[in-house]
Amino acid sequence: MLWCVQRWAVISKTQMKNTKKLFSREQMKNESKEKKETEDAERREKNLEEAKTIVIENDPSLPEPKTVRVSSIMCIDCIMALSYSAFK
């Protein structure tokens, strides 16, 4: 049977204090990261549920949409007029 012998280096009080600070800082970062990830996941779930309730319908007060081929349009002014009227 083999025994592993580990030797520990003696460190000063300030080194121990700094190491403890670094360790606690890392723990706080990990906790805040986990908390943020869970909050983001909850917010995404909430947004998805709200998005499922949205229904897209044609507005009956507007005229029926027409299909137009771009190749049938002769001038750039016509394209501009169509694009502006579509966003009004």
Side-chain angles (χ1 to χ4, degrees):
M1 186 183 261
L2 294 173
W3 291 91
C4 291
V5 178
Q6 293 181 352
R7 295 186 180 217
W8 300 92
V10 178
I11 60 172
S12 66
K13 287 183 181 181
T14 55
Q15 284 178 322
M16 183 66 154
K17 188 177 177 182
N18 290 338
T19 307
K20 284 182 181 180
K21 281 183 186 179
L22 288 174
F23 179 72
S24 64
R25 209 176 295 147
E26 285 295 319
Q27 280 185 327
M28 287 173 41
K29 283 182 184 178
N30 289 337
E31 290 171 359
S32 65
K33 184 178 179 181
E34 290 173 2
K35 182 180 176 184
K36 184 179 177 184
E37 287 175 355
T38 56
E39 288 174 355
D40 288 344
E42 289 173 1
R43 189 175 65 243
R44 270 188 244 113
E45 284 293 322
K46 181 182 170 191
N47 288 343
L48 284 174
E49 291 300 320
E50 288 177 5
K52 289 178 183 178
T53 61
I54 297 173
V55 178
I56 299 175
E57 298 176 349
N58 284 336
D59 189 0
S61 65
L62 296 175
E64 287 295 316
K66 297 178 183 178
T67 304
V68 178
R69 291 183 183 220
V70 175
S71 61
S72 66
I73 301 174
M74 295 295 181
C75 64
I76 295 176
D77 294 331
C78 297
I79 295 171
M80 297 300 287
L82 286 174
S83 65
Y84 285 129
S85 66
F87 292 110
K88 284 186 180 181

Coordinates of all heavy atoms in Angstrom, one line a residue:
M1 N 0.8 -1.2 0.0 CA 0.0 0.0 0.0 C 0.9 1.2 0.0 O 1.8 1.4 0.8 CB -0.9 0.0 1.2 CG -1.9 1.1 1.3 SD -2.8 1.0 2.8 CE -4.3 0.2 2.2
L2 N 0.6 2.1 -1.0 CA 1.4 3.4 -1.1 C 0.6 4.5 -0.4 O -0.6 4.7 -0.5 CB 1.6 3.7 -2.5 CG 2.5 2.7 -3.3 CD1 2.5 3.1 -4.8 CD2 3.9 2.8 -2.7
W3 N 1.3 5.3 0.3 CA 0.8 6.5 0.9 C 1.3 7.7 0.2 O 2.5 7.8 0.0 CB 1.1 6.5 2.4 CG 0.5 5.5 3.2 CD1 0.9 4.2 3.5 CD2 -0.8 5.5 3.8 NE1 0.1 3.5 4.2 CE2 -1.1 4.3 4.4 CE3 -1.8 6.5 3.8 CZ2 -2.2 4.0 5.1 CZ3 -3.0 6.2 4.5 CH2 -3.2 5.0 5.1
C4 N 0.4 8.6 -0.1 CA 0.8 9.8 -0.7 C 1.2 10.8 0.4 O 0.3 11.0 1.3 CB -0.2 10.4 -1.6 SG -0.5 9.5 -3.1
V5 N 2.3 11.4 0.3 CA 2.7 12.4 1.3 C 2.6 13.7 0.6 O 3.2 14.0 -0.4 CB 4.1 12.1 1.8 CG1 4.5 13.2 2.7 CG2 4.3 10.7 2.3
Q6 N 1.7 14.6 1.2 CA 1.6 15.9 0.7 C 2.2 16.9 1.6 O 2.0 16.8 2.8 CB 0.1 16.3 0.5 CG -0.6 15.5 -0.5 CD -2.1 15.9 -0.7 OE1 -2.6 16.7 0.1 NE2 -2.7 15.3 -1.7
R7 N 2.9 17.8 1.1 CA 3.6 18.8 1.9 C 2.9 20.1 1.6 O 2.6 20.5 0.5 CB 5.1 18.9 1.5 CG 5.8 17.6 1.9 CD 7.3 17.8 1.7 NE 7.9 16.6 2.0 CZ 9.1 16.5 2.6 NH1 9.7 17.6 2.9 NH2 9.6 15.4 2.9
W8 N 2.6 20.8 2.7 CA 2.0 22.1 2.6 C 3.0 23.2 2.8 O 3.8 23.1 3.8 CB 0.8 22.2 3.6 CG -0.2 21.1 3.4 CD1 -0.3 19.9 4.0 CD2 -1.3 21.2 2.5 NE1 -1.3 19.2 3.5 CE2 -2.0 20.0 2.6 CE3 -1.8 22.1 1.7 CZ2 -3.1 19.7 1.9 CZ3 -2.9 21.9 1.0 CH2 -3.6 20.6 1.1
A9 N 2.9 24.2 2.0 CA 3.8 25.3 2.2 C 3.3 26.2 3.2 O 2.1 26.4 3.3 CB 4.0 26.0 0.9
V10 N 4.1 26.7 4.0 CA 3.7 27.7 5.1 C 3.6 29.1 4.4 O 4.5 29.5 3.7 CB 4.7 27.7 6.2 CG1 4.3 28.7 7.3 CG2 4.8 26.4 6.8
I11 N 2.4 29.7 4.6 CA 2.2 31.0 4.0 C 2.0 32.0 5.1 O 1.6 31.6 6.2 CB 1.0 31.0 3.0 CG1 -0.3 30.6 3.7 CG2 1.3 30.1 1.8 CD1 -1.5 30.8 2.8
S12 N 2.2 33.2 4.8 CA 2.0 34.3 5.8 C 0.5 34.6 6.0 O -0.3 34.2 5.2 CB 2.7 35.6 5.4 OG 2.1 36.1 4.2
K13 N 0.2 35.3 7.0 CA -1.2 35.7 7.3 C -1.8 36.6 6.2 O -3.0 36.4 5.8 CB -1.3 36.5 8.6 CG -1.1 35.6 9.8 CD -1.2 36.4 11.1 CE -1.0 35.6 12.3 NZ -1.2 36.4 13.6
T14 N -1.0 37.4 5.6 CA -1.5 38.3 4.5 C -1.8 37.5 3.3 O -2.8 37.7 2.6 CB -0.5 39.4 4.2 OG1 0.7 38.9 3.9 CG2 -0.4 40.4 5.3
Q15 N -1.0 36.5 3.0 CA -1.2 35.6 1.9 C -2.5 34.9 2.1 O -3.3 34.7 1.2 CB -0.1 34.7 1.6 CG 1.1 35.3 0.9 CD 2.2 34.3 0.8 OE1 2.5 33.5 1.6 NE2 3.0 34.4 -0.4
M16 N -2.7 34.4 3.3 CA -3.9 33.6 3.6 C -5.2 34.5 3.5 O -6.2 34.1 3.0 CB -3.8 33.1 5.0 CG -5.0 32.2 5.4 SD -5.0 30.8 4.4 CE -5.9 29.7 5.5
K17 N -5.0 35.7 4.0 CA -6.1 36.7 3.9 C -6.5 37.0 2.5 O -7.6 37.0 2.1 CB -5.7 38.0 4.7 CG -6.8 39.0 4.8 CD -6.2 40.2 5.7 CE -7.2 41.3 5.8 NZ -6.6 42.4 6.6
N18 N -5.5 37.3 1.6 CA -5.7 37.6 0.2 C -6.3 36.4 -0.5 O -7.2 36.5 -1.3 CB -4.4 38.0 -0.5 CG -3.9 39.3 0.0 OD1 -4.7 40.1 0.5 ND2 -2.6 39.5 -0.2
T19 N -5.9 35.2 -0.2 CA -6.4 34.0 -0.8 C -7.9 33.8 -0.4 O -8.7 33.5 -1.2 CB -5.6 32.7 -0.3 OG1 -4.2 33.0 -0.6 CG2 -6.1 31.5 -1.1
K20 N -8.2 34.1 0.9 CA -9.6 34.0 1.3 C -10.5 35.0 0.6 O -11.6 34.7 0.2 CB -9.7 34.2 2.8 CG -9.3 33.0 3.6 CD -9.5 33.3 5.1 CE -9.0 32.2 6.0 NZ -9.2 32.5 7.4
K21 N -10.0 36.2 0.4 CA -10.7 37.3 -0.3 C -11.0 36.9 -1.7 O -12.1 37.0 -2.2 CB -9.9 38.6 -0.3 CG -10.0 39.4 1.0 CD -9.2 40.7 0.8 CE -9.1 41.4 2.1 NZ -8.3 42.7 1.9
L22 N -9.9 36.3 -2.4 CA -10.1 35.9 -3.8 C -11.1 34.8 -3.9 O -12.0 34.7 -4.8 CB -8.8 35.4 -4.4 CG -7.7 36.5 -4.7 CD1 -6.4 35.8 -5.1 CD2 -8.2 37.4 -5.8
F23 N -11.1 33.8 -2.9 CA -12.0 32.7 -2.9 C -13.4 33.2 -2.7 O -14.4 32.8 -3.4 CB -11.6 31.7 -1.8 CG -12.6 30.6 -1.8 CD1 -12.5 29.6 -2.8 CD2 -13.4 30.4 -0.7 CE1 -13.4 28.5 -2.7 CE2 -14.3 29.4 -0.6 CZ -14.3 28.4 -1.6
S24 N -13.6 34.1 -1.8 CA -15.0 34.6 -1.5 C -15.5 35.4 -2.7 O -16.7 35.4 -3.0 CB -15.0 35.4 -0.2 OG -14.2 36.6 -0.4
R25 N -14.6 36.2 -3.3 CA -15.0 37.0 -4.5 C -15.4 36.1 -5.7 O -16.4 36.3 -6.3 CB -13.8 37.8 -4.9 CG -14.2 39.1 -5.6 CD -13.0 40.0 -6.0 NE -12.4 40.5 -4.8 CZ -11.1 40.7 -4.7 NH1 -10.3 40.5 -5.7 NH2 -10.5 41.2 -3.6
E26 N -14.7 35.0 -5.9 CA -15.1 34.0 -6.9 C -16.4 33.4 -6.6 O -17.2 33.2 -7.5 CB -14.0 32.9 -7.0 CG -12.8 33.4 -7.7 CD -13.0 33.7 -9.2 OE1 -13.8 33.0 -9.9 OE2 -12.4 34.7 -9.7
Q27 N -16.7 33.0 -5.3 CA -18.0 32.5 -4.9 C -19.1 33.4 -5.2 O -20.1 33.1 -5.7 CB -18.0 32.1 -3.5 CG -17.3 30.8 -3.2 CD -17.4 30.4 -1.7 OE1 -17.5 31.3 -0.8 NE2 -17.5 29.1 -1.5
M28 N -18.9 34.7 -4.9 CA -19.9 35.7 -5.1 C -20.2 35.9 -6.6 O -21.3 36.0 -7.0 CB -19.5 37.1 -4.5 CG -19.6 37.0 -3.0 SD -18.9 38.5 -2.1 CE -19.5 39.9 -3.1
K29 N -19.1 35.9 -7.4 CA -19.3 36.0 -8.9 C -20.1 34.8 -9.4 O -21.0 35.0 -10.2 CB -18.0 36.0 -9.6 CG -17.2 37.3 -9.5 CD -15.9 37.2 -10.3 CE -15.1 38.5 -10.1 NZ -13.8 38.4 -10.9
N30 N -19.8 33.6 -8.9 CA -20.5 32.4 -9.4 C -22.0 32.5 -9.0 O -22.9 32.1 -9.8 CB -19.9 31.1 -8.9 CG -18.5 30.9 -9.5 OD1 -18.3 31.3 -10.6 ND2 -17.7 30.1 -8.8
E31 N -22.2 32.9 -7.7 CA -23.6 33.0 -7.3 C -24.4 34.0 -8.1 O -25.5 33.8 -8.5 CB -23.6 33.3 -5.8 CG -23.2 32.2 -4.9 CD -23.0 32.7 -3.4 OE1 -23.2 33.9 -3.1 OE2 -22.6 31.8 -2.6
S32 N -23.8 35.2 -8.3 CA -24.5 36.2 -9.1 C -24.7 35.8 -10.5 O -25.8 36.1 -11.1 CB -23.7 37.5 -9.0 OG -22.5 37.4 -9.7
K33 N -23.8 35.0 -11.1 CA -23.9 34.5 -12.4 C -25.1 33.5 -12.5 O -25.9 33.6 -13.4 CB -22.6 33.9 -12.9 CG -22.6 33.4 -14.3 CD -21.3 32.9 -14.7 CE -21.3 32.4 -16.1 NZ -20.0 31.8 -16.5
E34 N -25.1 32.6 -11.6 CA -26.2 31.6 -11.5 C -27.6 32.3 -11.3 O -28.6 32.0 -12.0 CB -26.0 30.6 -10.4 CG -24.8 29.7 -10.7 CD -24.5 28.8 -9.5 OE1 -25.2 28.9 -8.4 OE2 -23.6 28.0 -9.6
K35 N -27.6 33.3 -10.5 CA -28.8 34.1 -10.2 C -29.3 34.8 -11.5 O -30.5 34.7 -11.9 CB -28.6 35.1 -9.1 CG -29.8 35.9 -8.7 CD -29.6 36.8 -7.6 CE -30.8 37.7 -7.3 NZ -30.5 38.7 -6.3
K36 N -28.4 35.4 -12.2 CA -28.7 36.1 -13.4 C -29.2 35.2 -14.5 O -30.1 35.5 -15.2 CB -27.4 36.9 -13.9 CG -27.7 37.7 -15.1 CD -26.4 38.4 -15.6 CE -26.7 39.2 -16.9 NZ -25.5 39.9 -17.4
E37 N -28.5 34.0 -14.6 CA -29.0 33.0 -15.6 C -30.4 32.5 -15.3 O -31.2 32.3 -16.2 CB -28.0 31.8 -15.6 CG -26.7 32.1 -16.3 CD -25.7 31.0 -16.2 OE1 -26.0 30.0 -15.5 OE2 -24.6 31.1 -16.7
T38 N -30.7 32.3 -14.0 CA -32.1 31.8 -13.7 C -33.1 32.9 -14.0 O -34.2 32.6 -14.5 CB -32.2 31.4 -12.3 OG1 -31.8 32.4 -11.4 CG2 -31.3 30.1 -12.0
E39 N -32.8 34.2 -13.7 CA -33.7 35.3 -14.0 C -33.9 35.4 -15.5 O -35.0 35.7 -15.9 CB -33.1 36.6 -13.4 CG -33.2 36.6 -11.9 CD -32.5 37.9 -11.3 OE1 -31.9 38.6 -12.1 OE2 -32.7 38.1 -10.1
D40 N -32.8 35.3 -16.3 CA -32.9 35.4 -17.7 C -33.8 34.3 -18.3 O -34.6 34.5 -19.2 CB -31.5 35.3 -18.4 CG -30.7 36.6 -18.2 OD1 -31.3 37.6 -17.8 OD2 -29.5 36.6 -18.4
A41 N -33.6 33.1 -17.7 CA -34.4 31.9 -18.2 C -35.9 32.2 -17.9 O -36.8 31.9 -18.7 CB -33.9 30.6 -17.6
E42 N -36.2 32.7 -16.7 CA -37.6 33.0 -16.3 C -38.2 34.0 -17.2 O -39.3 33.9 -17.6 CB -37.6 33.4 -14.8 CG -37.4 32.3 -13.9 CD -37.3 32.8 -12.4 OE1 -37.4 34.0 -12.2 OE2 -37.0 31.9 -11.6
R43 N -37.4 35.1 -17.5 CA -37.8 36.2 -18.3 C -38.1 35.7 -19.8 O -39.1 36.0 -20.4 CB -36.8 37.3 -18.3 CG -37.3 38.6 -19.0 CD -36.4 39.7 -18.9 NE -35.2 39.5 -19.7 CZ -33.9 39.4 -19.1 NH1 -33.8 39.6 -17.8 NH2 -32.9 39.1 -19.8
R44 N -37.2 34.8 -20.3 CA -37.4 34.2 -21.6 C -38.7 33.4 -21.7 O -39.5 33.5 -22.6 CB -36.2 33.4 -22.0 CG -35.2 34.2 -22.7 CD -34.1 33.2 -23.3 NE -32.9 33.6 -22.6 CZ -32.2 32.8 -21.8 NH1 -32.6 31.6 -21.5 NH2 -31.1 33.2 -21.2
E45 N -38.9 32.6 -20.6 CA -40.2 31.8 -20.6 C -41.4 32.7 -20.6 O -42.4 32.4 -21.3 CB -40.2 30.9 -19.3 CG -39.3 29.7 -19.5 CD -39.8 28.7 -20.5 OE1 -41.0 28.5 -20.6 OE2 -39.0 28.1 -21.2
K46 N -41.3 33.8 -19.8 CA -42.5 34.7 -19.7 C -42.7 35.3 -21.0 O -43.9 35.4 -21.5 CB -42.2 35.8 -18.6 CG -43.3 36.8 -18.4 CD -42.9 37.8 -17.4 CE -43.8 38.9 -17.4 NZ -43.3 40.1 -16.6
N47 N -41.6 35.8 -21.7 CA -41.8 36.4 -23.0 C -42.3 35.4 -24.1 O -43.2 35.8 -24.9 CB -40.4 36.9 -23.5 CG -40.0 38.2 -22.7 OD1 -40.8 38.8 -22.1 ND2 -38.7 38.5 -22.8
L48 N -41.9 34.2 -24.0 CA -42.4 33.2 -24.9 C -43.9 32.9 -24.7 O -44.7 32.8 -25.7 CB -41.7 31.9 -24.8 CG -40.3 31.8 -25.4 CD1 -39.6 30.5 -25.0 CD2 -40.4 32.0 -26.9
E49 N -44.3 32.9 -23.4 CA -45.8 32.7 -23.2 C -46.6 33.9 -23.7 O -47.7 33.7 -24.2 CB -46.0 32.5 -21.6 CG -45.4 31.2 -21.1 CD -46.1 30.0 -21.8 OE1 -47.3 30.0 -22.0 OE2 -45.3 29.0 -22.1
E50 N -46.1 35.1 -23.5 CA -46.8 36.3 -24.0 C -46.8 36.3 -25.5 O -47.8 36.7 -26.1 CB -46.1 37.6 -23.4 CG -46.3 37.8 -22.0 CD -45.6 39.0 -21.5 OE1 -44.9 39.7 -22.3 OE2 -45.6 39.3 -20.3
A51 N -45.7 35.8 -26.1 CA -45.7 35.8 -27.6 C -46.7 34.9 -28.2 O -47.2 35.1 -29.3 CB -44.3 35.5 -28.1
K52 N -47.0 33.8 -27.4 CA -48.0 32.8 -27.9 C -49.4 33.4 -28.0 O -50.2 32.9 -28.8 CB -48.0 31.6 -27.0 CG -46.7 30.7 -27.2 CD -46.7 29.5 -26.2 CE -45.5 28.7 -26.3 NZ -45.5 27.6 -25.4
T53 N -49.6 34.4 -27.2 CA -51.0 35.0 -27.2 C -51.2 36.0 -28.4 O -52.3 36.4 -28.6 CB -51.3 35.7 -25.9 OG1 -50.3 36.8 -25.8 CG2 -51.1 34.8 -24.7
I54 N -50.1 36.4 -29.1 CA -50.2 37.4 -30.1 C -50.8 36.7 -31.4 O -50.3 35.6 -31.8 CB -48.9 38.0 -30.4 CG1 -48.4 38.8 -29.2 CG2 -49.0 38.9 -31.7 CD1 -47.0 39.3 -29.4
V55 N -51.8 37.3 -32.0 CA -52.4 36.8 -33.2 C -52.3 37.9 -34.3 O -52.7 39.0 -34.1 CB -53.9 36.4 -33.0 CG1 -54.6 35.9 -34.2 CG2 -54.0 35.4 -31.9
I56 N -51.8 37.5 -35.4 CA -51.6 38.4 -36.5 C -52.8 38.2 -37.5 O -53.0 37.1 -38.0 CB -50.3 38.2 -37.3 CG1 -49.2 38.5 -36.3 CG2 -50.2 39.1 -38.5 CD1 -47.8 38.1 -36.8
E57 N -53.5 39.3 -37.8 CA -54.7 39.2 -38.7 C -54.6 40.4 -39.7 O -54.0 41.4 -39.4 CB -56.0 39.4 -37.9 CG -56.2 38.3 -36.9 CD -57.5 38.5 -36.1 OE1 -58.0 39.7 -36.1 OE2 -57.9 37.6 -35.4
N58 N -55.2 40.2 -40.8 CA -55.3 41.3 -41.8 C -56.3 42.3 -41.2 O -57.4 42.0 -40.7 CB -55.8 40.8 -43.1 CG -54.7 40.1 -43.9 OD1 -53.6 40.3 -43.7 ND2 -55.1 39.2 -44.8
D59 N -56.0 43.6 -41.5 CA -56.9 44.7 -41.0 C -58.0 44.8 -42.1 O -57.7 45.1 -43.3 CB -56.1 46.0 -40.9 CG -56.9 47.1 -40.3 OD1 -58.1 46.9 -39.9 OD2 -56.3 48.2 -40.2
P60 N -59.3 44.6 -41.7 CA -60.4 44.7 -42.7 C -60.6 46.1 -43.2 O -61.2 46.2 -44.3 CB -61.6 44.1 -41.9 CG -61.2 44.3 -40.5 CD -59.7 44.2 -40.4
S61 N -60.2 47.1 -42.5 CA -60.4 48.5 -43.0 C -59.5 48.8 -44.2 O -59.7 49.8 -44.9 CB -60.2 49.5 -41.9 OG -58.9 49.4 -41.4
L62 N -58.4 48.1 -44.3 CA -57.4 48.3 -45.4 C -57.8 47.5 -46.7 O -58.5 46.5 -46.6 CB -56.0 47.9 -45.0 CG -55.4 48.7 -43.8 CD1 -54.1 48.1 -43.4 CD2 -55.3 50.2 -44.2
P63 N -57.4 48.0 -47.9 CA -57.7 47.2 -49.1 C -56.9 45.9 -49.1 O -55.9 45.8 -48.4 CB -57.3 48.1 -50.2 CG -56.4 49.1 -49.6 CD -56.8 49.2 -48.2
E64 N -57.4 45.0 -49.9 CA -56.7 43.7 -49.9 C -55.3 43.9 -50.5 O -55.1 44.7 -51.4 CB -57.5 42.7 -50.8 CG -58.8 42.2 -50.2 CD -58.5 41.3 -49.0 OE1 -57.6 40.5 -49.1 OE2 -59.2 41.5 -48.0
P65 N -54.3 43.2 -50.0 CA -52.9 43.3 -50.6 C -52.9 42.7 -52.0 O -53.5 41.8 -52.3 CB -52.1 42.5 -49.6 CG -53.0 41.6 -48.9 CD -54.4 42.2 -48.9
K66 N -52.0 43.3 -52.8 CA -51.8 42.9 -54.2 C -50.4 42.3 -54.3 O -49.5 42.8 -53.7 CB -52.0 44.0 -55.2 CG -53.4 44.6 -55.1 CD -53.5 45.8 -56.1 CE -54.9 46.4 -56.0 NZ -54.9 47.6 -56.9
T67 N -50.3 41.3 -55.2 CA -49.0 40.7 -55.5 C -48.4 41.4 -56.7 O -49.1 41.5 -57.7 CB -49.1 39.2 -55.7 OG1 -49.7 38.6 -54.6 CG2 -47.7 38.6 -55.9
V68 N -47.2 41.9 -56.6 CA -46.6 42.6 -57.7 C -45.2 42.0 -57.9 O -44.5 41.9 -57.0 CB -46.5 44.1 -57.4 CG1 -45.8 44.9 -58.6 CG2 -47.8 44.7 -57.1
R69 N -44.9 41.8 -59.2 CA -43.5 41.3 -59.5 C -42.6 42.5 -59.7 O -43.0 43.5 -60.3 CB -43.6 40.5 -60.8 CG -44.3 39.1 -60.6 CD -44.2 38.3 -61.9 NE -44.9 37.1 -61.7 CZ -44.5 36.0 -62.1 NH1 -43.4 35.9 -62.8 NH2 -45.2 34.9 -61.9
V70 N -41.5 42.4 -59.2 CA -40.5 43.5 -59.3 C -40.1 43.7 -60.8 O -39.9 44.8 -61.2 CB -39.3 43.2 -58.4 CG1 -38.2 44.3 -58.6 CG2 -39.7 43.1 -57.0
S71 N -40.1 42.6 -61.5 CA -39.7 42.8 -62.9 C -40.7 43.6 -63.7 O -40.4 44.1 -64.8 CB -39.4 41.4 -63.6 OG -40.6 40.7 -63.5
S72 N -41.9 43.6 -63.3 CA -43.0 44.3 -64.0 C -42.9 45.8 -63.7 O -43.5 46.6 -64.4 CB -44.3 43.8 -63.7 OG -44.6 44.0 -62.3
I73 N -42.2 46.3 -62.7 CA -42.1 47.7 -62.4 C -41.0 48.3 -63.2 O -39.8 47.8 -63.3 CB -41.8 47.9 -60.9 CG1 -42.9 47.2 -60.0 CG2 -41.6 49.3 -60.5 CD1 -42.6 47.2 -58.6
M74 N -41.2 49.4 -63.9 CA -40.3 50.0 -64.8 C -39.3 51.0 -64.2 O -38.2 51.0 -64.6 CB -41.1 50.7 -65.9 CG -41.9 49.8 -66.8 SD -40.7 48.7 -67.6 CE -41.9 47.8 -68.6
C75 N -39.7 51.7 -63.2 CA -38.8 52.8 -62.8 C -38.6 52.7 -61.3 O -39.4 52.1 -60.5 CB -39.4 54.2 -63.1 SG -41.0 54.5 -62.4
I76 N -37.6 53.4 -60.8 CA -37.2 53.4 -59.4 C -38.2 54.2 -58.6 O -38.5 53.9 -57.5 CB -35.8 53.9 -59.2 CG1 -34.8 53.0 -59.8 CG2 -35.5 54.1 -57.7 CD1 -33.4 53.4 -59.8
D77 N -38.8 55.3 -59.2 CA -39.8 56.1 -58.6 C -41.0 55.3 -58.2 O -41.6 55.5 -57.1 CB -40.2 57.3 -59.4 CG -39.1 58.2 -59.7 OD1 -38.2 58.3 -58.8 OD2 -39.1 58.9 -60.7
C78 N -41.4 54.3 -59.0 CA -42.5 53.4 -58.7 C -42.2 52.6 -57.5 O -43.0 52.4 -56.7 CB -42.8 52.6 -59.9 SG -43.3 53.5 -61.4
I79 N -41.0 52.1 -57.5 CA -40.6 51.2 -56.3 C -40.6 52.0 -55.0 O -41.1 51.6 -54.0 CB -39.2 50.7 -56.6 CG1 -39.2 49.7 -57.7 CG2 -38.7 49.9 -55.3 CD1 -37.8 49.2 -58.2
M80 N -40.1 53.3 -55.1 CA -40.1 54.1 -53.9 C -41.5 54.4 -53.5 O -41.9 54.4 -52.3 CB -39.4 55.4 -54.2 CG -37.9 55.2 -54.5 SD -37.0 54.4 -53.2 CE -36.9 55.8 -52.1
A81 N -42.4 54.7 -54.4 CA -43.8 55.0 -54.1 C -44.5 53.8 -53.4 O -45.2 53.9 -52.4 CB -44.6 55.4 -55.3
L82 N -44.2 52.6 -54.0 CA -44.8 51.4 -53.4 C -44.3 51.1 -52.0 O -45.0 50.8 -51.1 CB -44.5 50.2 -54.2 CG -45.3 50.1 -55.5 CD1 -44.9 48.9 -56.3 CD2 -46.8 49.9 -55.2
S83 N -42.9 51.3 -51.8 CA -42.4 51.1 -50.5 C -42.9 52.1 -49.4 O -43.1 51.8 -48.3 CB -40.8 51.1 -50.5 OG -40.4 52.4 -50.9
Y84 N -43.0 53.4 -49.8 CA -43.5 54.4 -48.9 C -45.0 54.1 -48.5 O -45.4 54.2 -47.4 CB -43.4 55.8 -49.4 CG -42.0 56.3 -49.4 CD1 -41.4 56.8 -50.5 CD2 -41.3 56.3 -48.2 CE1 -40.1 57.3 -50.5 CE2 -40.0 56.7 -48.2 CZ -39.4 57.3 -49.3 OH -38.1 57.7 -49.3
S85 N -45.8 53.7 -49.5 CA -47.2 53.4 -49.2 C -47.4 52.2 -48.4 O -48.3 52.1 -47.6 CB -48.0 53.3 -50.5 OG -47.6 52.1 -51.2
A86 N -46.4 51.3 -48.4 CA -46.5 50.0 -47.6 C -46.3 50.3 -46.1 O -46.8 49.6 -45.3 CB -45.5 49.0 -48.1
F87 N -45.5 51.3 -45.8 CA -45.1 51.6 -44.5 C -46.0 52.7 -43.8 O -45.8 53.1 -42.7 CB -43.6 52.0 -44.4 CG -42.7 50.8 -44.6 CD1 -42.0 50.8 -45.8 CD2 -42.7 49.8 -43.8 CE1 -41.2 49.8 -46.1 CE2 -41.9 48.7 -44.1 CZ -41.1 48.7 -45.2
K88 N -46.9 53.3 -44.6 CA -47.7 54.3 -44.0 C -48.9 53.8 -43.2 O -49.3 52.7 -43.3 CB -48.3 55.3 -45.1 CG -47.2 56.2 -45.6 CD -47.8 57.2 -46.5 CE -46.7 58.1 -47.0 NZ -47.1 59.1 -47.9

